[in-house]
Structures are given as structure tokens and as C-alpha cells.
Amino acid sequence: MMKRLLIAGMSWLCLLPMLQAQTVDKEATLQEVVVTGTGTQHTLKDAPVQTEVISGSALRSYGGKSLEDILSGLTASFAFNEGDMGSQMQLNGLGNSYILILIDGKRIHGDVGGENDLGLIDPHNIEKIEIVKGAQSALYGSDAMAGVINIITKKHTEGGLLLENTTRYGTHNDLRQHNSLVVTLGKFSSHTNFQMQRNDGWQNTSEEFAEAVVLTDSKNKTVNRFRNWQLAERLTFKPTKNLELYAEGTYYKKFIRRPRNGTHPSCDVYTYDLRYNNASASAGGKWLFGKIRNEENEKWRNASKQNVITLDVDWNKHAYYYDYTRGTYEMMHLVGEEFGDMNGEWFPVLMKPGQSNLQSNQERLMAQLKGIFYLPYGNTLNTGVEYRYDYLKAPERTDNGSASDWTSALYVQDEFNMLRWLNITAGLRLVDNRNFGVRLTPKVSAMLSWGDFRFRVGWSQGFKTPTVKELHYRYLHVMGSSTFFNIGNLQLKPQTSNYYSANVEYRTRKFTASITGYVNKLDNMIALVNVPVGEIPAGITTAYLGDGSNHVQARMYKNMNDARTCGIDITLSYKPIKGLTLNASYSYLDTKAQLFDDSENRMYEVVIDGTAYHKWSASAMYNHSFADWYDLGVSLSTRGSTTRYYENNGNGKGYQIWRLNTSHNLGKQNKMLAYKIDLGIDNIFNYVDRTMRPYHLGTNTSGRTVFATLNIRFNYGKRVNKHILSTKQKTSNEED
């Protein structure tokens, strides 16, 4: 049925351009400007590297509560498994460590246990999202083998004073709070942002397979109760028109409360909660110079552009702790005189309620210097240098209590408009890693323009060194009837990739259709695989595995011999009448990986965990202004997936989920004060996956939920003042 709905919906959208359309919204002629693919500004239609955009209007109509909600609902390429430690995210078959997430072009930091805590990103502060798939740009390093997600935040350039509050409340006591204060005084501006999120969690099933038995009264929740908050500050100073300096910082905390009573203490009762502490600080500046205005560059489309040099220095910290709620014996690495000079010995230590124990503290220091130079004859040169230092402190999870790594890089990229209808973008990235030496990776893409058509092809190489965690980290992971002991591996090799893509795009004021085919070949892909006890490093077996009676299995990070993902992405958009936008996206994905079985001395083929062959999303968004004081927005959307495949613990069920959101903008006639109310229903048809834990790997949605959002915005700025004055003058003239 889902396939029939998908085929019917896509066929309908393909036929829409042939139907008689009414008046088209003139705003549709305004073209989106994107920067992610090349680091330089291009209209979306003329971006040399294929870029997918989730626009501000789509974000406002959809009313998503989180970045996971937005990406899974508005594009078909993503898949998520949300858990306590964050989100296991996939983009076209590759997971978190292959996806680079940027905020205004700067990397976020927040990996815990191989997952990204996307709660760091305030959805109410997002202006738009740009997505570039594959390692197609020399600007980005090893984190971008699957692609880049660039979160463009709201800039609030009106000046003066801005106060904004957004409160969202929904089922399961789901509360999301956003507050902004923006003050501009001459050349100085301050942007203070506070967000808070909380949810009581839910349980889709009380059945759980654990300790080789099926429990029917497990207390474990599908999503545990949590609360987080973040405070961010950004200070900006513009001493001249062409120079901008900034300093910013954030502080973030997250608390996860887990079940504390139950009938089966070994699996459905936790003796500790989780707590995350994050902090960041950064400073930098941007200098514009050398404005170009001459006939030669008018001819080559570089007119009125300025060269730019930017410098950014960032420090980030992400730490998580166990907060004990009951007495618990933990295996600890005791070193020092206070422990009787037990150098490198492991002993059980009783942790009492109220005590905390650091599990992991990741810190990163990064510096970037880059420049964009507009040269004669249609050349745009983008070049830069980077340095990154990673530090991991994990007293109980590494041999020496800590580990570190550093990487430096130099890149150069040239956009060459040889002809007005041909763009060639080529780049090189030179990487030097502390443990794995030097590697040069090339990238090249070409775009041919022909009327409203764009034809793009690209090839790029990727190079990704093992992370500090993959090399050194070890931890226990309980799943179903087994406890997996995951082990780092100092013998890992770097991963390399070759990414090939071809895209055809047709874009007019009313209709857009894009189809992209891609192949991503990875060598030495890193994954956790089962290993015999004999491969476990000396000294670990006694500490973690005991006598083997606890169903403990050892898994080690190892290089797969080969892996490949390939697929087709299709996006469609149509604006048949003023205010109505119809969107659809579809993703076909096929993955294969080769593993070597040491016990049988042979290769065997597997599907990469989490792969679904078919995913789709579609939406109809309508906006209409009924008066100067009221705008109505209605968004009906759906998303779905076929079966998701997993090597262990079975496959995730396919699903299709529908969502309705209505938005009501009030108070437009007074530009100083405006209100917006959203009312919505998610999962209209109440789909829930009741599969017993831990086999519920399709989607963890709790069923039908309702939500309401109130946004209040007070803006007393220069532009508002001018609007009020002009309105008063017009009224006065009419009275005269």
C-alpha cells in the first residue's frame, strides 16, 4: 500500500506542470542563495555542486520540534534512531561519523558513544538548512564522506532591540522553550539565546528479550525522561564597513532519568542516570577587501564581489557522567599511592547514590584561516589552512586514562567559468595526521547550463583517519540477551572513498525536478564486528568479561575489506497557485560491505546496518494572507520507509507517518509586536511499533501526539522605525 501511495503521489506531481495553473506567486521568482557546496555565494539554480535546501518558509510551515524531526520529515535521504545518548543518524547509508554538521559553516562537537546530540541545535533559531551529499568539496575534511549539513541561523539584522519567546507544548509533557535577546548599539551587537527541552518519555511495549528470556513487565522505556538547556552568547563588533570581529560561547547540560524499579534487576532497572556537560568558546573575524568593478569581470560574472579573509579559533568540550541512584560496583582502573601503588590494576569499586563518575570527556581545539579571491577571467579561488587537536579523557575506558590526536590540512579550490554555460570546480586537500601521515585527495565537478536545465557531474576522493575513540575507547553495551564489550583497535587503517555523482535538474518559477544518481565506494571502512576472545588485548578479559557466564560477546572496531553505497535521489516541487507549494522526495539506496570471517577464513557480504531500500517524504504547504493582521499557514506532510536491515537483532519494520500543522500569524500591522500560534497533530493515524525491545528498530514514535506553539516577537529596530514613520506620513498625507 505504501508503494502504491508513493507511486501515485509522484505521478501526480509529475503531471502537475501540464495542468492549467492560476496566478503564480511572484515571490517564487526570488532564488535561494546557497554557500555550502563551494564556500561562495550562488543562486540555488546555478550552484556548481548539487545542493538541497530546506527553506525558511518550509521550516515555519512544518513546525518541527527538533533537527531530527525536521530532516526526517522534509527530506527522504535521512534516517534516525534516537536514543539516550543522541541520534544515530544516516545519510545515504553512512552513519554519524561520516556526516559533517555545521552551524553557519563551523563544525559542531558532541559525539557520545558514536552518536550526535542534536539537542545542541535550537530549531527555532534556524533560518534554513543546506545539504550537500558526498565528499564533493575540498573545503571539508574527513567528517564529510557522506555529506555536509549546514545549519544557517537567523541573523536579526534589523538593529535596535529584539525580544523573542517561543513556547511549544505537546503530548508526554513535551516542553520546548526558546528565548532570544538581540541588542544593537552602533557598531556593537549582542545576541543572547536560551533554549530548554524536556519530555517525560514513553514506553511502546513492556516486552523485552533479555538474559535469554522474554520479559512481559519490563520497566524500560522506548525513550527515557530527559531535560536539557543551553545558554549561548555572541558579541559582534564592526569597526569598519568591511571588518567584523566576533566572540561567542555556549554552555549546555542534559539530564536523562532512567527506570529505578522493576522485577528483573539485571536489565530493566538502572542504577545510574546520565548527565552531559558541554561548553564551547570561539573568536574570529572577517575582512572584506578589493571590490571588483571593471568590464573584464562584468563579462566573467565577478562584478561587484569582494575578496574575503576569515579567521576562526574554536574550543569545544563534551563530557558525560554516570550519576548513581543506587549502590553499584564498577570496574575501575586504580593507579597511585592511595590505591596501594596498584599500577594499571582493575578492581570493583562501590559507587554510592549521589556520586558521579566521568565516562568520557572529549575536547577539541580548532583553528581555520581561509580566503576567497575573485580573479580575472571567471576564476574564484578558495583556499585555507586548518589545525585540529582532539583530546579524550576516559579514566575507565582507555589504557592510560586519556588519548589525543591532531590533524592539519591545506586546501585549494578553483571555480572556473570557462564559458557562461559551463562551470568547472576543482580542488585539492592535503591532510597530515599525527598517526597516519600525509594524504592528498582531489575533487572535481562540472555544471552545464542549458536554459532551465542544469547538468552536473562530480568525482571526489575522501580520506578519513580513525577517531580517537575507534583507536582507544572500550565500553560495555547491553542489547537484548547479550552484553557486548566494544573494544578500540590500534591496528586500524585509514578509510578512503571514491564518490561519483550525476545530476539533472529542471528549475522554473513554478516547478522544480531533480534526479541524482551516486556511487560511493569505501575501502577499509571501520565497523564494530564480533571477534573471538583470543583477539582481545591482554588484561581486558579479566576486567570486563568475567568467567563468560554473563552472555558477554566481544566486538572490536575493524576495517571492512570493502564497502559500497549507491542510490538515486529524486526531489520535486510545484507551485500551482499563489501560496501553495507541493513537495516530494524519494530515495532509493543499496549498500554492500565485505567482511572477513577469521574463524572460517573467508569473505562474506553484508548490508550496512540501518539501510532501507526505499524512503520517501511529501508535503503540501499553503499560506494565505486574509488581512493586514492575519496570515494562515497549513502544512500536511508524510514520511515513510520500507524495512531497515540489521546484522544483529533483526530488522526494523517499515512505516508511514502523516502530520498536520497549522500556523496563525497575528499582529502584522504593528511591526513592533507580532504573534504566531501553531497547532498540530503528528502521526495522525497512530502508528506504533510494538516489537519487543531491543528489536524495535524501525521507528520509536509513540503514536498520535498533539502540540501547540506560541511565538511572541517584539522588535524595535531601525527598519521598524522607518516603516512606522513612513506609515504615519502616508496617513497624514491622506488626511490632508
Side-chain angles (χ1 to χ4, degrees):
M1 181 178 177
M2 289 188 291
K3 291 182 179 179
R4 290 172 185 167
L5 285 170
L6 176 63
I7 294 170
M10 293 184 65
S11 301
W12 176 61
L13 278 173
C14 290
L15 289 172
L16 279 173
M18 304 177 187
L19 303 177
Q20 180 67 33
Q22 299 181 30
T23 304
V24 178
D25 185 358
K26 292 183 179 180
E27 292 298 318
T29 62
L30 297 177
Q31 300 200 46
E32 195 88 46
V33 175
V34 296
V35 299
T36 306
T38 61
T40 54
Q41 290 189 349
H42 293 276
T43 60
L44 182 58
K45 183 175 184 176
D46 293 320
V49 175
Q50 171 65 14
T51 305
E52 184 177 345
V53 173
I54 300 176
S55 66
S57 60
L59 291 170
R60 291 187 292 272
S61 295
Y62 186 74
K65 67 179 180 180
S66 64
L67 185 62
E68 295 98 325
D69 189 13
I70 291 166
L71 292 176
S72 61
L74 294 178
T75 179
S77 300
F78 290 91
F80 291 91
N81 280 339
E82 296 184 52
D84 285 347
M85 303 183 76
S87 292
Q88 292 181 357
M89 175 171 52
Q90 275 195 339
L91 172 58
N92 288 345
L94 297 180
N96 289 39
S97 63
Y98 301 95
I99 304 169
L100 176 60
I101 303 175
L102 308 173
I103 298 180
D104 294 325
K106 296 167 61 178
R107 289 170 170 81
I108 73 163
H109 186 58
D111 165 63
V112 174
E115 302 173 2
N116 283 318
D117 186 0
L118 300 182
L120 293 163
I121 301 171
D122 186 349
H124 300 293
N125 200 36
I126 299 175
E127 180 59 36
K128 65 176 180 177
I129 301 172
E130 297 179 9
I131 302 164
V132 174
K133 298 170 185 175
Q136 295 200 67
S137 177
L139 278 61
Y140 309 113
S142 61
D143 299 334
M145 276 186 171
V148 180
I149 305 169
N150 192 7
I151 312 296
I152 311 297
T153 60
K154 297 175 181 177
K155 297 302 184 292
H156 307 298
T157 57
E158 296 91 345
L161 174 67
L162 170 69
L163 289 169
E164 185 175 27
N165 170 267
T166 302
T167 302
R168 186 186 195 275
Y169 185 78
T171 307
H172 307 301
N173 250 346
D174 187 84
L175 178 64
R176 315 276 167 148
Q177 184 75 219
H178 159 84
N179 297 278
S180 284
L181 169 62
V182 182
V183 179
T184 302
L185 297 173
K187 299 177 180 180
F188 292 90
S189 67
S190 166
H191 185 174
T192 306
N193 187 73
F194 174 82
Q195 66 157 327
M196 186 274 290
Q197 304 172 356
R198 59 148 295 164
N199 191 295
D200 285 346
W202 61 86
Q203 185 186 57
N204 288 343
T205 177
S206 61
E207 285 191 321
E208 180 172 4
F209 184 66
E211 303 293 343
V213 298
V214 176
L215 306 175
T216 58
D217 58 351
S218 171
K219 302 301 180 183
N220 270 327
K221 290 188 174 184
T222 305
V223 171
N224 284 313
R225 181 161 58 102
F226 73 87
R227 173 173 58 89
N228 64 47
W229 59 266
Q230 182 182 57
L231 180 65
E233 173 65 30
R234 180 182 174 94
L235 299 172
T236 304
F237 174 53
K238 294 191 70 172
T240 68
K241 182 180 179 180
N242 293 332
L243 179 61
E244 179 181 295
L245 306 174
Y246 77 89
E248 62 184 4
T250 65
Y251 187 74
Y252 171 90
K253 296 195 77 168
K254 183 174 183 177
F255 306 88
I256 297 171
R257 307 305 183 198
R258 311 206 288 180
R260 301 181 186 181
N261 53 58
T263 59
H264 200 279
S266 63
C267 62
D268 68 339
V269 176
Y270 288 97
T271 60
Y272 53 85
D273 293 332
L274 300 176
R275 171 169 51 92
Y276 305 148
N277 284 2
N278 283 21
S280 71
S282 60
K286 178 172 66 175
W287 177 41
L288 302 172
F289 66 98
K291 197 166 186 178
I292 301 169
R293 282 186 180 276
N294 58 52
E295 293 183 2
E296 178 181 321
N297 284 287
E298 287 280 357
K299 176 181 177 182
W300 295 100
R301 294 196 225 172
N302 280 347
S304 303
K305 295 184 178 181
Q306 286 184 281
N307 303 321
V308 58
I309 293 177
T310 60
L311 173 65
D312 299 284
V313 179
D314 305 282
W315 169 82
N316 295 269
K317 171 185 176 179
H318 190 98
Y320 87 98
Y321 299 80
Y322 288 171
D323 289 341
Y324 292 92
T325 56
R326 291 172 52 180
T328 306
Y329 279 96
E330 295 282 8
M331 296 302 299
M332 292 194 176
H333 198 200
L334 305 181
V335 181
E337 294 182 1
E338 64 271 32
F339 302 115
D341 289 326
M342 294 180 293
N343 187 17
E345 297 293 330
W346 294 85
F347 285 91
V349 176
L350 176 63
M351 304 300 296
K352 299 178 181 180
Q355 288 185 304
S356 296
N357 187 18
L358 173 68
Q359 301 301 303
S360 169
N361 177 27
Q362 300 174 78
E363 295 189 35
R364 184 195 67 195
L365 178 65
M366 188 164 185
Q368 299 181 79
L369 176 64
K370 55 187 178 181
I372 301 173
F373 307 96
Y374 294 96
L375 307 177
Y377 304 106
N379 284 277
T380 302
L381 186 66
N382 195 326
T383 185
V385 292
E386 299 176 356
Y387 176 79
R388 172 174 171 169
Y389 177 78
D390 289 286
Y391 172 77
L392 170 65
K393 180 180 179 181
E396 318 309 333
R397 302 193 178 203
T398 57
D399 282 333
N400 300 317
S402 65
S404 63
D405 191 17
W406 59 257
T407 301
S408 58
L410 168 67
Y411 67 84
V412 59
Q413 178 173 281
D414 183 39
E415 298 176 50
F416 182 31
N417 288 289
M418 182 183 302
L419 302 167
R420 286 190 172 274
W421 46 269
L422 179 63
N423 175 286
I424 296 177
T425 301
L428 292 171
R429 186 177 184 89
L430 182 67
V431 177
D432 182 18
N433 179 263
R434 173 185 183 179
N435 297 308
F436 299 97
V438 178
R439 180 65 180 256
L440 183 68
T441 55
K443 332 269 181 174
V444 62
S445 63
M447 182 185 71
L448 176 67
S449 304
W450 182 45
D452 292 322
F453 286 92
R454 297 294 181 269
F455 304 90
R456 300 179 179 93
V457 294
W459 166 72
S460 62
Q461 286 189 344
F463 176 68
K464 178 174 173 55
T465 59
T467 66
V468 177
K469 278 194 169 184
E470 290 167 342
L471 292 169
H472 301 278
Y473 204 58
R474 60 175 70 116
Y475 63 99
L476 288 173
H477 179 58
V478 180
M479 180 176 287
S481 61
S482 299
T483 299
F484 293 97
F485 175 44
N486 300 335
I487 312 166
N489 184 359
L490 292 173
Q491 305 303 315
L492 289 172
K493 301 175 183 177
Q495 303 165 90
T496 59
S497 69
N498 280 276
Y499 181 82
Y500 307 87
S501 66
N503 166 261
V504 180
E505 181 180 274
Y506 175 75
R507 186 180 295 273
T508 65
R509 294 185 307 168
K510 297 188 296 181
F511 181 69
T512 298
S514 174
I515 180 169
T516 303
Y518 64 89
V519 176
N520 203 353
K521 295 184 176 181
L522 290 83
D523 292 325
N524 294 320
M525 184 178 179
I526 294 174
L528 276 169
V529 299
N530 296 335
V531 295
V533 175
E535 289 194 27
I536 301 174
I540 294 178
T541 304
T542 302
Y544 283 88
L545 302 184
D547 59 5
S549 62
N550 298 324
H551 305 281
V552 178
Q553 299 181 35
R555 300 196 302 182
M556 181 181 288
Y557 286 105
K558 298 191 75 173
N559 292 106
M560 292 184 176
N561 294 85
D562 189 20
R564 183 266 299 156
T565 68
C566 66
I568 297 174
D569 291 338
I570 300 172
T571 60
L572 301 168
S573 180
Y574 183 51
K575 299 179 179 179
I577 61 174
K578 182 178 180 180
L580 176 62
T581 303
L582 306 174
N583 300 297
S585 65
Y586 166 76
S587 177
Y588 170 78
L589 174 64
D590 181 45
T591 69
K592 292 289 185 294
Q594 299 288 333
L595 285 177
F596 184 75
D597 189 334
D598 290 312
S599 61
E600 298 187 13
N601 195 33
R602 67 178 181 88
M603 300 287 296
Y604 67 102
E605 192 173 81
V606 298
V607 174
I608 295 177
D609 274 0
T611 294
Y613 286 111
H614 308 279
K615 297 191 296 293
W616 59 89
S617 68
S619 64
M621 298 180 177
Y622 179 72
N623 293 277
H624 185 74
S625 180
F626 288 92
D628 287 342
W629 57 272
Y630 178 60
D631 283 351
L632 171 67
V634 180
S635 169
L636 177 64
S637 59
T638 183
R639 60 185 174 89
S641 170
T642 56
T643 300
R644 299 183 68 186
Y645 295 94
Y646 290 87
E647 186 72 9
N648 295 314
N649 288 342
N651 300 321
K653 291 182 178 179
Y655 61 88
Q656 177 144 345
I657 295 173
W658 291 80
R659 171 194 177 97
L660 175 68
N661 184 56
T662 65
S663 59
H664 312 266
N665 282 291
L666 307 170
K668 280 178 53 186
Q669 83 284 5
N670 183 354
K671 294 289 184 177
M672 289 179 59
L673 189 61
Y675 307 88
K676 181 173 180 282
I677 299 172
D678 280 21
L679 302 171
I681 304 174
D682 198 6
N683 199 349
I684 296 173
F685 300 108
N686 200 33
Y687 172 79
V688 180
D689 185 352
R690 302 290 186 187
T691 307
M692 74 171 70
R693 288 175 53 92
Y695 306 118
H696 54 302
L697 299 172
T699 176
N700 63 5
T701 177
S702 65
R704 185 184 300 113
T705 59
V706 296
F707 59 89
T709 304
L710 172 64
N711 173 266
I712 303 174
R713 180 184 174 100
F714 174 80
N715 187 1
Y716 188 78
K718 297 177 181 178
R719 295 185 182 180
V720 175
N721 295 338
K722 290 179 181 178
H723 171 79
I724 294 173
L725 290 173
S726 63
T727 302
K728 289 180 178 179
Q729 184 63 44
K730 180 179 179 181
T731 304
S732 175
N733 292 339
E734 289 173 349
E735 290 175 351
D736 291 342

